[in-house]
Amino acid sequence: MPRGWTKRDIGDLTGKVAIVTGGNSGIGFETSLALAENFATVILAVRNMNKGHEAVDKIKKGCPNADVHVLKLDLGDLESVKEFAAEFKMRFRSLSLLINNAGVMMPPRKETKDGFEAQFGINFLGHFALTGLLLDLIIKTPDSRVVSVGSLAAHNLKPEFGKFTGKKYKSTELKSYGQSKLACMYFAKELQYRLRSRNIDSKSIACHPGIAQTYLFGKGSRSLKARLTRASLKMIGQSAEAAAYPILYAATEHSIRGGEYIGPDGRKGIKGFPAELELLNEQFVENVSSNLWTLSEELTGVTFKF
Ligand SMILES: NC(=O)c1ccc[n+]([C@@H]2O[C@H](COP(=O)([O-])OP(=O)(O)OC[C@H]3O[C@@H](n4cnc5c(N)ncnc54)[C@H](OP(=O)(O)O)[C@@H]3O)[C@@H](O)[C@H]2O)c1
């Protein structure tokens, strides 16, 4: 594994088409920028089109020839996920990189449009459905990758996925956030297993960004608690650009085989350069993972056709 990896190590991505969910903000924006700077065609999949267009303008300011597009995607609404996948397939013929990055943490809205607990629904089930609906294109595209974003908040959690699926979940909001991220990490490993067992060359990789001060925490709230949280995160964490490196590494580094878990190599995983971590292998429980897959297909109505 190359040491001290940064976005300057990304190779030429000409001809690659990439979707970045939540590409308008924070870590997703930095990911989109770096991919565009290296000549990928980048589609920002965003719930707010104005924010998406602002992000495109910002990318083009520094990188005038960037090939960047905006498409509407609300991961908290399965109908919107279906519409996004259909429109994407109408406009693009390949998909090299699907970056499942968007996320919410303790949001004001407690349920998705389909009645799922919001964090589980948006962070995990929305991305599960999106990946399933784009799978045919992903499989058709040589050397394609799906990158799923986890979190330190999921480390050492016991999986309790069954509790988080409907309106009657019993959990604190933060616990639900950790479970939703753990589900994304399990999904990445399970997808890799299912691809490899069918001799499909596409790869699935999990990663986590460490800690970065972004809009995730308190969504711009001016309350004292939110401001103190953001100030302390700024002190201990890293920039959104550095937090994007584990995603960019998982998406572009040649030595990736599929199934890895990538995160910052510094103390407690808070910051540092991207490195391969053992933690997910240690935490992973095979039958829990395949049960989660079956449950997610039932809940979303999206069946993966390999
Ligand atoms: N920052 C950290 O320290 C940290 C740590 C661990 C993991 N993460 C993970 O990193 C990822 C990126 O977070 P961030 O820190 O960059 O936060 P952020 O700046 O708040 O970005 C989150 C992105 O997700 C989008 N999003 C939220 N709900 C959505 C929905 N229903 N449909 C489509 N897009 C939606 C947001 O759109 P809007 O702009 O419209 O709200 C935004 O673009 C998340 O998965 C998060 O869980 C972050």
Side-chain angles (χ1 to χ4, degrees), residues 89 95 98 129-141 144 146 191 195 200 202 293 303-306:
K89 285 180 186 176
L95 179 55
L98 173 58
L130 178 68
T131 310
L133 292 167
L134 294 170
L135 191 71
D136 50 348
L137 208 51
I138 293 168
I139 290 176
K140 237 172 59 183
T141 308
S144 56
V146 178
L191 176 61
L195 289 166
I200 297 169
S202 309
W293 190 282
T303 307
F304 279 57
K305 297 192 182 74
F306 289 95

Side-chain angles (χ1 to χ4, degrees), residues 22-28 47-48 51 73-76 101-104 122 149-151 177 181 209-212 214-217 219:
N24 62 289
S25 175
I27 297 166
R47 63 175 165 177
N48 179 322
K51 286 191 192 174
L73 169 70
D74 182 352
L75 290 158
N101 158 80
V104 288
I122 292 169
V149 178
S151 170
Y177 174 75
K181 289 278 131 185
I211 291 182
T214 63
Y215 285 104
L216 189 71
F217 304 96
K219 271 288 165 208

